Amino acid sequence: MANRRKILSVVGTRPNMMKIAPIAAELARRPDEFEHVLVDTGQHYDREMSEIFLEELGVGEPDYSLGVGSGSHAQQTARVMERLEPVLLEAEPDVVLVPGDVNSTAAAALTASKLLLTVAHVEAGLRSFDRTLPEEINRIVADQLSRLLFIHSPEGWDNLIAEGVDEAWIHDVGNTMIDSLVAMRPRIEAAQAPEAHGLERGGYLVVTLHRHWVDGPFLGDAMTRLAEVAEQIPVVFPVHPRARAAMDAMGIEAGPERLKMLPPVGYIEFMSLVENSAGVLTDSGGIQEETTYLGIPCFTLRPNTERPVTLVEHGGTNRVLGANPERISEVPSLLAAAREVETKVPPRWDGKASERIVNVLTRHFLEERALAPAR
């Protein structure tokens, strides 16, 4: 037990939690090798967007909760750095694991690297090549500061090599978000969320909107278009706290009966809605991957995607519509066309990515020990 290595993971949002949960489970299966410490920054401060995911994914309570809450990008990043530094000094981890591309990710990578700790980035190498998106900056920062870079799709390798990353540091492990989906699939299939909301399986559209552009007129235009779409196919919209605040500011209270606006829901309920839907309209990144794995048509309301492996032209189910609410009106006709498209699951999206990651960590520490000077 004396040779156990301490892995500290930093999460702050729903996708972060889904990416770390299966890694935490795999580390727990190897108690003689590893100790896992979980830090929740609280970037998603709404309970329905934070604690409920920790509970449902079986991660348990975090060892440290930083409670950074909302704020500007600079405020969130600064709070994470300020509150995480004493945690890292106290915990003295061997590796700091940072997933995804949110403010917590970049802040944790920067804080750990300043303390000369080894940083490992889960979901490395993704690029939209659009630096107006804060997530793109976060990805670049995390990748440049990481010593272990875990990619889940082929373009990740190409992007990192183009940016000068040593190829020995890059590990093609698969997608840990899909690990969570595979592990929770029985509970998802048993959840019967469509029936709970009066929806017919395969006969409704799921919507998620939470990006920074929902704060302006975009959301009002989108709601108008969704109401029109709901006349053709029922729409279910679990409303993110950010979108809810924007709606409240604009006086948007509810839509027509066939546009069901729900409070945030847990992972199992949400994925039950997705798996049994006709399709999904989203501005999320991770949902593009989940729908590709499930074979569910996805329409991405963003100007681009950092996940080209999910696109229809690469065998996925995803079509990028652009950040244009007017295109929402096309979704019913696009749904009909999507049923004719053959899809495939990307390589290594098989539920075993976390096992591969922990195997890499084991090799990393063995190599580190072999290179250590003799005493």
Side-chain angles (χ1 to χ4, degrees), residues 308-375:
V309 73
T310 68
L311 294 174
V312 169
E313 50 264 40
H314 297 301
T317 65
N318 183 28
R319 299 175 189 269
V320 175
L321 302 184
N324 182 359
E326 292 182 6
R327 297 208 62 191
I328 294 174
S329 302
E330 302 174 29
V331 169
S333 60
L334 290 172
L335 273 173
R339 297 189 185 102
E340 308 302 320
V341 176
E342 290 189 18
T343 64
K344 61 183 180 182
V345 176
R348 298 193 175 211
W349 291 23
D350 56 4
K352 298 179 180 179
S354 301
E355 181 180 343
R356 296 186 190 102
I357 285 173
V358 177
N359 287 341
V360 169
L361 291 172
T362 297
R363 291 197 302 271
H364 169 74
F365 292 127
L366 288 173
E367 291 167 3
E368 187 181 72
R369 189 178 305 161
L371 292 172
R375 293 184 178 180

Side-chain angles (χ1 to χ4, degrees), residues 113-374:
S113 64
K114 291 278 190 178
L115 295 174
L116 304 182
L117 297 170
T118 299
V119 179
H121 187 199
V122 177
E123 196 183 77
L126 298 187
R127 296 292 182 271
S128 65
F129 303 101
D130 181 356
R131 294 199 181 191
T132 67
L133 299 176
E135 293 85 358
E136 185 78 352
I137 304 300
N138 294 336
R139 293 179 202 117
I140 292 168
V141 168
D143 284 340
Q144 287 299 313
L145 296 176
S146 293
R147 172 63 176 77
L148 296 166
L149 297 103
F150 299 119
I151 64 170
H152 71 24
S153 52
E155 69 276 2
W157 178 280
D158 296 335
N159 293 336
L160 293 172
I161 293 297
E163 293 175 7
V165 174
D166 187 330
E167 66 178 37
W169 298 2
I170 307 171
H171 304 275
D172 184 0
V173 294
N175 191 335
T176 62
M177 184 177 286
I178 301 305
D179 287 15
S180 286
L181 179 53
V182 169
M184 303 295 279
R185 197 79 181 273
R187 290 179 65 184
I188 291 167
E189 291 174 345
Q192 298 185 323
E195 290 78 4
H197 295 287
L199 298 164
E200 181 181 347
R201 294 190 176 217
Y204 59 90
L205 179 73
V206 175
V207 173
T208 76
L209 295 172
H210 74 283
R211 296 284 173 175
H212 62 278
W213 46 71
V214 307
D215 296 341
F218 182 101
L219 185 59
D221 293 343
M223 294 303 297
T224 299
R225 300 287 176 172
L226 287 173
E228 295 170 356
V229 168
E231 295 176 3
Q232 302 177 62
I233 180 172
V235 175
V236 58
F237 181 6
V239 182
H240 187 283
R242 181 174 196 159
R244 171 54 64 192
M247 288 180 186
D248 291 344
M250 290 186 285
I252 300 173
E253 295 182 2
E257 184 178 353
R258 284 167 61 93
L259 172 52
K260 296 179 181 289
M261 294 166 61
L262 309 179
V265 298
Y267 175 71
I268 293 169
E269 181 178 358
F270 178 73
M271 289 311 305
S272 177
L273 288 169
V274 168
E275 183 170 20
N276 294 290
S277 70
V280 176
L281 174 72
T282 187
D283 59 4
S284 167
I287 292 172
Q288 299 170 42
E289 297 175 348
E290 292 159 334
T291 49
T292 284
Y293 179 82
L294 294 170
I296 301 294
C298 179
F299 307 100
T300 298
L301 206 62
R302 289 170 50 183
N304 46 49
T305 181
E306 67 284 353
R307 293 167 164 83
V309 73
T310 68
L311 294 174
V312 169
E313 50 264 40
H314 297 301
T317 65
N318 183 28
R319 299 175 189 269
V320 175
L321 302 184
N324 182 359
E326 292 182 6
R327 297 208 62 191
I328 294 174
S329 302
E330 302 174 29
V331 169
S333 60
L334 290 172
L335 273 173
R339 297 189 185 102
E340 308 302 320
V341 176
E342 290 189 18
T343 64
K344 61 183 180 182
V345 176
R348 298 193 175 211
W349 291 23
D350 56 4
K352 298 179 180 179
S354 301
E355 181 180 343
R356 296 186 190 102
I357 285 173
V358 177
N359 287 341
V360 169
L361 291 172
T362 297
R363 291 197 302 271
H364 169 74
F365 292 127
L366 288 173
E367 291 167 3
E368 187 181 72
R369 189 178 305 161
L371 292 172

Side-chain angles (χ1 to χ4, degrees), residues 21-167:
I23 301 174
E26 183 63 28
L27 290 169
R29 282 191 280 270
R30 309 189 196 189
D32 292 341
E33 285 186 75
F34 297 106
E35 175 186 355
H36 184 237
V37 176
L38 181 65
V39 178
D40 180 8
T41 70
Q43 182 173 329
H44 275 180
Y45 57 95
D46 187 288
R47 182 187 181 279
E48 297 300 327
M49 298 299 292
S50 183
E51 292 178 21
I52 196 167
F53 290 111
L54 290 170
E55 293 167 6
E56 289 195 355
L57 292 168
V59 178
E61 290 297 317
D63 298 284
Y64 298 90
S65 297
L66 306 186
V68 302
S70 62
S72 71
H73 292 290
Q75 289 169 334
Q76 272 192 335
T77 303
R79 285 190 203 123
V80 172
M81 294 180 68
E82 183 179 38
R83 299 179 190 185
L84 180 61
E85 184 180 51
V87 170
L88 296 178
L89 290 170
E90 177 183 309
E92 297 183 325
D94 296 289
V95 166
V96 177
L97 207 57
V98 296
D101 55 17
V102 298
N103 290 336
S104 296
T105 306
L110 186 55
T111 307
S113 64
K114 291 278 190 178
L115 295 174
L116 304 182
L117 297 170
T118 299
V119 179
H121 187 199
V122 177
E123 196 183 77
L126 298 187
R127 296 292 182 271
S128 65
F129 303 101
D130 181 356
R131 294 199 181 191
T132 67
L133 299 176
E135 293 85 358
E136 185 78 352
I137 304 300
N138 294 336
R139 293 179 202 117
I140 292 168
V141 168
D143 284 340
Q144 287 299 313
L145 296 176
S146 293
R147 172 63 176 77
L148 296 166
L149 297 103
F150 299 119
I151 64 170
H152 71 24
S153 52
E155 69 276 2
W157 178 280
D158 296 335
N159 293 336
L160 293 172
I161 293 297
E163 293 175 7
V165 174
D166 187 330
E167 66 178 37

